Amino acid sequence: MAINEEAILKSELRWAWVVSAIVAIILGAILFAALAMHVNPPSNREYVDPNKLHLSAEFTEENLGTRIDPDGRIVARVIATQFEFVPNCIMVPVDRDVTLRFTTPDVIHGILVTGTNVNTMIIPGYVAQVHTRFTKTGTLLMPCHEYCGLGHSQMIATVKVVPADQFRPDAQGRAACGDDR
Ligand code: CUA
């Protein structure tokens, strides 16, 4: 059976259209997810001096943990360090928008909160920020998921999600694990 040149060219052109269409659909889906649905990698380009975390500004000891910021946002600030989280438990209210902010003075860590979509790397020199909303009360585990040294497997914190009436920030707007009793 003879296959002539014209038939081959037609077939190639057909496939070129099919492939172009698939690429266009995938590209469109990516752009739609990013622009319309705001599905983006959890990246936040925000710098912080890892040598001075404890000395000034946002990540000093008295600022760590959960706090209602002056603008009304609920923000939990946590430092990841070899091999613990400071603080090692954060309290957040259920069904409220919460911002989690992490940084580290030493090496790359990573966190996830079990059963949620919270998952980010924590890189020295940067602030990792996640906006989320916890929809169930309970105590969730927040392990380090990036190998960061010999104590990596012991590096674990908890997120205590409490009902609104148990989330009672103090006069400074701070709420810590244990305040709900
Ligand atoms: Cu920190 Cu693994």
Side-chain angles (χ1 to χ4, degrees):
M1 196 171 70
I3 299 174
N4 63 36
E5 206 173 319
E6 201 184 343
I8 292 171
L9 184 66
K10 262 189 180 164
S11 167
E12 283 181 347
L13 276 175
R14 205 160 46 234
W15 279 108
W17 278 114
V18 169
V19 170
S20 303
I22 290 170
V23 169
I25 288 168
I26 292 171
L27 212 57
I30 291 171
L31 287 175
F32 180 75
L35 301 177
M37 297 169 68
H38 302 289
V39 177
N40 298 301
S43 56
N44 177 42
R45 201 195 297 175
E46 196 181 329
Y47 304 106
V48 65
D49 184 347
N51 295 315
K52 299 200 175 101
L53 290 184
H54 58 298
L55 297 177
S56 63
E58 189 182 345
F59 287 91
T60 49
E61 196 173 351
E62 68 269 19
N63 280 337
L64 299 179
T66 307
R67 199 179 65 187
I68 311 234
D69 274 4
D71 58 7
R73 290 192 312 160
I74 301 168
V75 183
R77 295 179 175 84
V78 178
I79 287 184
T81 176
Q82 290 168 313
F83 297 98
E84 59 176 352
F85 292 96
V86 185
N88 69 358
C89 175
I90 52 173
M91 180 197 264
V92 292
V94 75
D95 290 329
R96 295 277 301 276
D97 287 330
V98 173
T99 301
L100 307 175
R101 286 170 65 77
F102 304 90
T103 191
T104 172
D106 44 47
V107 300
I108 297 177
H109 302 269
I111 61 106
L112 57 80
V113 180
T114 49
T116 72
N117 65 352
V118 175
N119 187 333
T120 186
M121 303 302 295
I122 306 173
I123 300 167
Y126 294 85
V127 177
Q129 174 169 277
V130 179
H131 299 290
T132 191
R133 187 181 264 257
F134 296 97
T135 53
K136 281 191 207 119
T137 57
T139 299
L140 305 172
L141 293 179
M142 184 171 78
C144 179
H145 67 47
E146 179 69 25
Y147 183 75
C148 51
L150 286 178
H152 165 68
S153 60
Q154 269 86 56
M155 194 170 165
I156 191 160
T158 49
V159 177
K160 198 166 181 177
V161 187
V162 297
D165 61 335
Q166 284 175 34
F167 185 76
R168 289 187 291 257
D170 65 14
Q172 283 78 49
R174 296 164 50 87
C177 292
D179 289 355
D180 57 328
R181 277 175 292 216

